[in-house]
Amino acid sequence: MVHTTQCCILMGCLCLFYPWSQVCEWREPEELAALLDLELRENGEPQHQLLQRIRDVAKYSVKTNHPRFFNQLFAGVDYHALTGRFLTEALNTSQYTYEVAPVFVLMEDEVLSKLRSLVGWAEGDGIFCPGGTMSNMYAMNVARYRAFPEVKLKGMWSLPRLAVFTSQQSHYSVMKAAAFQGIGTENVFKVKVDDRGCMIPEDLGETIELAKSQGAVPFFVHATSGTTVQGAFDPLEPIADICDRQGLWMHVDAAWGGSVLFSKEHKHLMRGVERADSVTWNPHKMMLTGLQCSAILLKDTTHLLKHCHSADAKYLFQQDKFYDTSLDTGDKSIQCGRKVDCLKLWLMWKAVGSKGLEERVDRAFTHTRYLVEEMKRREGFELIGKVAPVIKERMMKQGTMMLGYQPQGGRVNFFRMIVISPQLSHQDMTFCLNEIERLGNDL
Amino acid sequence: MVHTTQCCILMGCLCLFYPWSQVCEWREPEELAALLDLELRENGEPQHQLLQRIRDVAKYSVKTNHPRFFNQLFAGVDYHALTGRFLTEALNTSQYTYEVAPVFVLMEDEVLSKLRSLVGWAEGDGIFCPGGTMSNMYAMNVARYRAFPEVKLKGMWSLPRLAVFTSQQSHYSVMKAAAFQGIGTENVFKVKVDDRGCMIPEDLGETIELAKSQGAVPFFVHATSGTTVQGAFDPLEPIADICDRQGLWMHVDAAWGGSVLFSKEHKHLMRGVERADSVTWNPHKMMLTGLQCSAILLKDTTHLLKHCHSADAKYLFQQDKFYDTSLDTGDKSIQCGRKVDCLKLWLMWKAVGSKGLEERVDRAFTHTRYLVEEMKRREGFELIGKVAPVIKERMMKQGTMMLGYQPQGGRVNFFRMIVISPQLSHQDMTFCLNEIERLGNDL
């Protein structure tokens, strides 16, 4: 079924896996558009030209699995996970019924169950979503449905004004969710954080009272384990106490931080997570499964997820099927077709075991500690401020490494260093500091 | 960077591409779970065992690219698109900034622009979404925002009760969207269809008046080009007339049917689509790009998409960057990280040209016509009814082919035949009819 020339193209893909010298090969947009010849035409192209196009796409794309790509909350590559991704693409099925995805329905169940057990739940529910923002949206929607089941049928007009609570440094997906789900961004109440970026529980209590005094009805607290910029872990125990007292849904956005649960040494950062109602966890971040792999996990055992999202499409979820239709998990989703996201994680987990994943987490923390110590020993690293954008521009144009900068709160621009790739060594940390010094030495 | 054993695994994937005898190898869930040994353990496994696991995953998965898989609105395989998917996985980046996805930001723009030109728009906006349901949700949300921009900040409490209109046979994602976005499923008004499953425009007019008389405010008409079960195309011109008169957002869900726009012979089915405000189009269906590839296209040129969805995350969309930040398209999305979905379509389009895609559409229609003629010549094909589930069970357990059945409206169970794979021949159509006769001959 595969022609030789097509095989060549498949192989062309695999040739990408050599060590690159540069993290990126910067081109201005106009120049890049011309180099790529993006236009789509009436006639097809010969195979040698397609092969060249593949090489060009690879050449000018950012090498996110380069050891010195520190720019996002994903980086590096795990070849077992990558194999799982290739296999997923080759098998091309949709994760909604046992009929078309028998292996993946059972596999998703096993992977979710294992993630839940790390959270501390012996049972519960969950589903893989296209990214952490969607997982967070699921949590907000299911929480709203638990509090006001009539919302599904009647919409928000049947409800009082609702209020959501999250820290000043939580991910912007909380705002996106509130806007998209008709709750409104001004009904997201921001709770103060301490110096380290962790939510202050006392302020949560006060903010809840404030919202009530304005006539809003609190229903959802969105805590964060691993904030996007500072990597802060909100104190879950006191937050859980407040949610218990007030009868609020407690969600933990552990998209970034969740993977500490693999580590005996570091899981204390999420102490109290088992008291949450739901958890977002993105193995595509610290665990390196590759984009996308995000789970929403629920403690609920009453099929809230299905009741909240089901639309009972008869063409897909026939009830006169010859097998147990509770295996048709698609109606838990707000999507119809859904990509298979469990295989890459499952295969990697089989390959390295929970122990191997634990080692990765521990190694990332070791690198971070080393980096902090090194930085303290050097002068000039507190004065980045206005020069960060210039250093960044030089970095990109020379392609030696990639890391991101941003301001936050009262702070001026600073670099955010993401250290998760298992390929990293202390030498890479030193390189990074030297490189910032080199790129900025005349500023 | 790749070890030999890991290379073996990569190659293991590619060995999947041989012609299978069976579409599926049915196992009961308990048996399959045992065969796969899904449990995740403390320790990793040796490479030979991982290779065996990969073989097992492939063996027991449904072969959706088998020529006789007619079960869903996706099927078949295009090796250029598959190459694009492998390359996407290998490059593992997120489609939100020019910084980390320079090639794909420009490429997405080109592909969307080309799809829009087929719709009949010289300019406009759009984005790839994780599936048609999400694309439809985008349309509903942007329409709501255009009508009531205050909804983003204040939520639905600041708005009157809204009303959505769609046909009785539209996709269930309309209901999912209304529930998720806080509009409520009872505010989705169902418009009657004719015998062929097409929306009756006169009834749309009457239903709008009915909603108004109940105090609801119409804002969104969701028409369908290619319904899920019957493949019906709603009459877009008269629907557009009504939307114009009433000042309503007109959305066309062409997830399934959109690809007819490639065909000079068949594009008349979507006459009037250029008058819509937005269009959902899934190239992963009729165009065979593989899951997932779904675009929401907008006629709007006022950046509604961005205004509606933006949350201005400072860590990602810094405004002091050294390049034109309008290339950072991520804030148009409700997601944060977003998979690259454009490459598979772009590469396939480059390979076969618009002409090649047109031929595929035309061939699918030819197969359909042949199938209808053949069915008319045979007796017994109107009496499927109660026996469909039994025929389906036998079909799955023998693994000879896969197609879906469902009831609809007053109709009893019938088989839905999806004919899109370029590998198909008239012989496959004949096989399919013979096989239904064979599987059901004693019933």
Side-chain angles (χ1 to χ4, degrees):
Chain A
M1 291 167 86
V2 191
H3 301 298
T4 320
T5 43
Q6 286 166 336
C7 258
C8 284
I9 295 194
L10 291 175
M11 294 306 113
C13 270
L14 299 175
C15 300
L16 298 169
F17 298 97
Y18 61 88
W20 306 277
S21 51
Q22 286 186 285
V23 180
C24 60
E25 192 144 340
W26 176 263
R27 290 290 184 280
E28 295 297 330
E30 302 71 26
E31 188 192 353
L32 182 56
L35 280 168
L36 294 170
D37 179 26
L38 290 166
E39 195 191 336
L40 298 164
R41 306 193 178 88
E42 274 297 294
N43 293 305
E45 295 185 348
Q47 298 288 325
H48 72 271
Q49 201 165 347
L50 295 170
L51 269 170
Q52 186 53 46
R53 297 208 176 281
I54 287 173
R55 286 190 207 101
D56 287 343
V57 166
K59 178 178 167 74
Y60 297 111
S61 286
V62 171
K63 310 303 178 295
T64 65
N65 41 20
H66 192 292
R68 285 172 190 155
F69 176 82
F70 307 106
N71 207 69
Q72 320 293 140
L73 296 179
F74 61 90
V77 59
D78 175 285
Y79 290 103
H80 301 100
L82 182 59
T83 305
R85 280 141 64 197
F86 285 173
L87 187 52
T88 302
E89 295 299 326
L91 293 170
N92 192 43
T93 196
S94 184
Q95 177 94 46
Y96 42 38
T97 62
Y98 186 76
E99 186 176 319
V100 295
V103 172
F104 303 124
V105 162
L106 300 177
M107 189 181 281
E108 182 174 71
D109 188 53
E110 167 66 22
V111 174
L112 290 171
S113 157
K114 196 77 184 178
L115 292 175
R116 277 196 307 266
S117 76
L118 290 168
V119 168
W121 297 335
E123 49 186 359
D125 205 347
I127 195 166
F128 280 98
C129 299
T133 297
M134 294 308 304
S135 293
N136 287 338
M137 284 191 180
Y138 270 62
M140 197 182 284
N141 197 46
V142 173
R144 176 171 69 176
Y145 179 77
R146 185 182 69 173
F148 302 96
E150 65 272 28
V151 69
K152 185 176 177 183
L153 194 64
K154 296 189 172 295
M156 299 290 276
W157 299 283
S158 61
L159 273 52
R161 185 183 147 212
L162 301 181
V164 168
F165 303 87
T166 193
S167 92
Q168 292 166 328
Q169 292 194 11
S170 68
H171 190 251
Y172 71 105
S173 53
V174 189
M175 304 303 273
K176 293 221 177 204
F180 197 69
Q181 293 174 213
I183 290 167
T185 54
E186 76 173 19
N187 296 313
V188 177
F189 288 77
K190 294 290 180 76
V191 181
K192 291 196 186 108
V193 294
D194 63 21
D195 284 350
R196 295 162 306 153
C198 306
M199 187 191 279
I200 301 173
E202 295 71 27
D203 193 61
L204 173 61
E206 286 167 26
T207 311
I208 290 172
E209 295 312 318
L210 174 73
K212 285 183 182 172
S213 74
Q214 293 177 3
V217 175
F219 80 107
F220 187 72
V221 174
H222 176 109
T224 310
S225 290
T227 59
T228 317
V229 177
Q230 273 189 280
F233 287 77
D234 286 345
L236 302 181
E237 289 281 12
I239 293 171
D241 290 340
I242 294 171
C243 290
D244 276 353
R245 257 198 317 274
Q246 303 266 1
L248 306 180
W249 184 287
M250 177 176 167
H251 175 63
V252 177
D253 178 357
W256 171 228
S259 298
V260 304
L261 294 173
F262 279 105
S263 164
K264 285 183 280 297
E265 190 183 343
H266 299 290
K267 66 179 178 187
H268 68 89
L269 290 165
M270 289 180 66
R271 192 169 288 142
V273 66
E274 73 285 355
R275 297 176 63 192
D277 294 290
S278 56
V279 174
T280 290
W281 184 347
N282 291 11
H284 73 231
K285 294 193 160 85
M286 216 183 292
M287 287 295 101
L288 287 86
T289 61
L291 295 164
Q292 286 180 334
C293 189
S294 171
I296 174 73
L297 306 171
L298 290 98
K299 187 157 60 181
D300 170 73
T301 56
T302 68
H303 304 291
L304 261 181
L305 201 52
K306 182 158 186 182
H307 293 314
C308 178
H309 293 147
S310 67
D312 298 321
K314 287 201 183 64
Y315 77 96
L316 201 53
F317 308 116
Q318 304 92 329
Q319 293 305 303
D320 50 5
K321 280 182 177 174
F322 63 96
Y323 61 84
D324 175 8
T325 53
S326 75
L327 291 164
D328 290 352
T329 49
D331 224 8
K332 289 183 186 182
S333 171
I334 61 162
Q335 300 179 267
C336 175
R338 183 164 61 94
K339 266 192 86 79
V340 171
D341 287 332
C342 57
L343 175 58
K344 47 198 165 195
L345 177 55
W346 182 82
L347 194 60
M348 179 178 76
W349 204 326
K350 278 285 192 191
V352 305
S354 304
K355 269 190 193 164
L357 298 177
E358 177 173 26
E359 280 164 22
R360 285 189 194 172
V361 175
D362 292 345
R363 200 178 309 125
F365 275 91
T366 308
H367 286 317
T368 306
R369 262 191 235 109
Y370 177 82
L371 188 69
V372 171
E373 291 307 314
E374 275 295 295
M375 262 199 306
K376 280 186 191 160
R377 293 200 306 107
R378 298 182 186 214
E379 288 171 7
F381 269 87
E382 289 179 9
L383 304 164
I384 292 291
K386 281 189 190 170
V387 302
V390 181
I391 292 177
K392 173 81 182 205
E393 177 172 1
R394 292 175 179 182
M395 186 192 300
M396 294 291 291
K397 290 188 173 170
Q398 297 179 28
T400 51
M401 65 176 186
M402 276 179 73
L403 65 163
Y405 70 88
Q406 59 281 304
Q408 190 177 56
R411 293 183 183 89
V412 293
N413 278 323
F414 58 91
F415 282 108
R416 177 187 70 162
M417 183 74 180
I418 310 295
V419 184
I420 49 176
S421 169
Q423 292 115 310
L424 287 177
S425 65
H426 282 0
Q427 282 86 328
D428 291 302
M429 304 295 102
T430 309
F431 174 89
C432 177
L433 296 177
N434 290 344
E435 190 65 2
I436 291 177
E437 285 181 342
R438 186 184 73 81
L439 291 166
N441 65 356
D442 61 331
L443 297 172
Chain B
M1 292 169 86
V2 191
H3 302 298
T4 320
T5 43
Q6 286 166 336
C7 259
C8 284
I9 296 194
L10 291 176
M11 292 308 114
C13 270
L14 299 176
C15 299
L16 298 168
F17 298 96
Y18 61 88
W20 306 277
S21 50
Q22 286 186 286
V23 180
C24 59
E25 192 146 338
W26 176 263
R27 290 290 183 282
E28 296 296 330
E30 302 70 26
E31 187 192 353
L32 182 56
L35 280 168
L36 294 170
D37 179 26
L38 290 165
E39 195 191 335
L40 298 164
R41 306 192 177 88
E42 273 298 295
N43 293 305
E45 294 184 347
Q47 297 288 325
H48 72 272
Q49 202 165 346
L50 293 171
L51 269 171
Q52 186 54 45
R53 298 207 175 283
I54 287 172
R55 285 191 207 101
D56 288 343
V57 166
K59 178 179 168 73
Y60 297 110
S61 286
V62 170
K63 310 303 178 294
T64 65
N65 40 19
H66 192 294
R68 285 170 189 157
F69 177 81
F70 307 106
N71 208 69
Q72 319 294 140
L73 296 179
F74 61 90
V77 60
D78 176 285
Y79 290 103
H80 301 102
L82 183 59
T83 304
R85 280 140 66 197
F86 285 173
L87 188 52
T88 302
E89 295 299 327
L91 292 170
N92 192 43
T93 197
S94 184
Q95 177 94 47
Y96 42 41
T97 62
Y98 185 77
E99 185 175 320
V100 295
V103 172
F104 303 124
V105 162
L106 300 178
M107 189 181 282
E108 182 172 71
D109 188 52
E110 167 65 20
V111 175
L112 290 171
S113 156
K114 196 76 183 176
L115 291 175
R116 276 195 308 265
S117 76
L118 290 168
V119 167
W121 299 333
E123 49 186 1
D125 205 347
I127 195 166
F128 280 98
C129 299
T133 297
M134 294 308 305
S135 293
N136 287 339
M137 285 191 179
Y138 269 63
M140 197 182 284
N141 197 46
V142 173
R144 175 171 70 177
Y145 179 77
R146 186 183 68 173
F148 302 97
E150 64 272 29
V151 69
K152 185 176 177 182
L153 194 65
K154 297 189 170 296
M156 299 290 276
W157 299 283
S158 61
L159 272 50
R161 185 183 147 213
L162 301 181
V164 168
F165 302 86
T166 193
S167 93
Q168 292 167 327
Q169 293 194 11
S170 69
H171 190 252
Y172 71 105
S173 53
V174 189
M175 304 303 273
K176 293 221 176 201
F180 197 69
Q181 293 173 217
I183 290 168
T185 55
E186 76 173 18
N187 296 314
V188 177
F189 289 76
K190 295 289 179 77
V191 181
K192 292 197 187 104
V193 294
D194 62 21
D195 284 349
R196 296 163 306 153
C198 306
M199 186 191 280
I200 301 173
E202 295 71 26
D203 194 61
L204 171 61
E206 286 166 26
T207 310
I208 290 172
E209 294 312 317
L210 174 73
K212 285 183 182 172
S213 74
Q214 293 178 1
V217 175
F219 79 108
F220 187 72
V221 173
H222 176 109
T224 310
S225 289
T227 58
T228 317
V229 177
Q230 274 190 280
F233 286 77
D234 286 346
L236 302 181
E237 289 282 11
I239 293 171
D241 290 340
I242 294 171
C243 291
D244 275 353
R245 259 199 314 275
Q246 303 266 0
L248 307 180
W249 184 286
M250 176 175 169
H251 175 63
V252 177
D253 178 357
W256 171 228
S259 299
V260 303
L261 294 173
F262 279 106
S263 164
K264 284 183 281 296
E265 190 182 342
H266 298 289
K267 67 180 179 186
H268 67 89
L269 290 165
M270 289 181 66
R271 192 170 290 142
V273 65
E274 72 285 354
R275 296 177 62 190
D277 294 291
S278 56
V279 174
T280 290
W281 184 348
N282 291 11
H284 72 231
K285 294 193 160 84
M286 215 183 291
M287 287 295 101
L288 289 87
T289 61
L291 295 164
Q292 286 179 334
C293 189
S294 172
I296 175 73
L297 307 172
L298 290 98
K299 187 157 60 181
D300 169 74
T301 54
T302 68
H303 303 291
L304 262 181
L305 201 53
K306 181 156 187 184
H307 293 314
C308 177
H309 293 146
S310 67
D312 298 320
K314 288 202 183 62
Y315 77 95
L316 202 53
F317 308 116
Q318 304 92 330
Q319 292 306 303
D320 49 5
K321 279 181 177 175
F322 63 96
Y323 62 84
D324 174 8
T325 54
S326 75
L327 291 164
D328 290 354
T329 49
D331 225 8
K332 288 184 188 183
S333 172
I334 61 163
Q335 300 179 268
C336 175
R338 182 164 61 96
K339 266 191 86 80
V340 172
D341 287 332
C342 57
L343 174 59
K344 47 198 165 196
L345 176 55
W346 181 84
L347 193 60
M348 180 178 75
W349 204 326
K350 277 285 191 191
V352 304
S354 304
K355 271 190 192 165
L357 299 176
E358 176 173 26
E359 281 164 21
R360 284 188 194 172
V361 174
D362 291 346
R363 201 179 306 126
F365 275 90
T366 307
H367 286 318
T368 307
R369 262 191 234 110
Y370 177 84
L371 189 68
V372 170
E373 291 307 313
E374 276 295 296
M375 263 199 306
K376 281 184 189 161
R377 294 199 307 106
R378 299 181 185 214
E379 289 172 5
F381 269 87
E382 289 179 9
L383 304 163
I384 293 292
K386 282 191 188 166
V387 302
V390 181
I391 292 178
K392 173 82 183 205
E393 177 173 1
R394 292 174 180 181
M395 187 192 301
M396 293 292 291
K397 290 188 172 169
Q398 296 178 29
T400 51
M401 65 176 184
M402 276 179 74
L403 65 163
Y405 70 87
Q406 59 281 304
Q408 190 177 57
R411 293 183 182 88
V412 294
N413 279 323
F414 59 92
F415 283 108
R416 177 187 70 162
M417 183 73 179
I418 310 296
V419 184
I420 48 176
S421 169
Q423 292 116 310
L424 287 177
S425 65
H426 281 0
Q427 283 86 329
D428 291 302
M429 304 295 103
T430 309
F431 174 89
C432 177
L433 297 176
N434 289 345
E435 188 66 2
I436 290 177
E437 285 181 343
R438 185 184 73 81
L439 292 165
N441 65 355
D442 62 331
L443 298 171

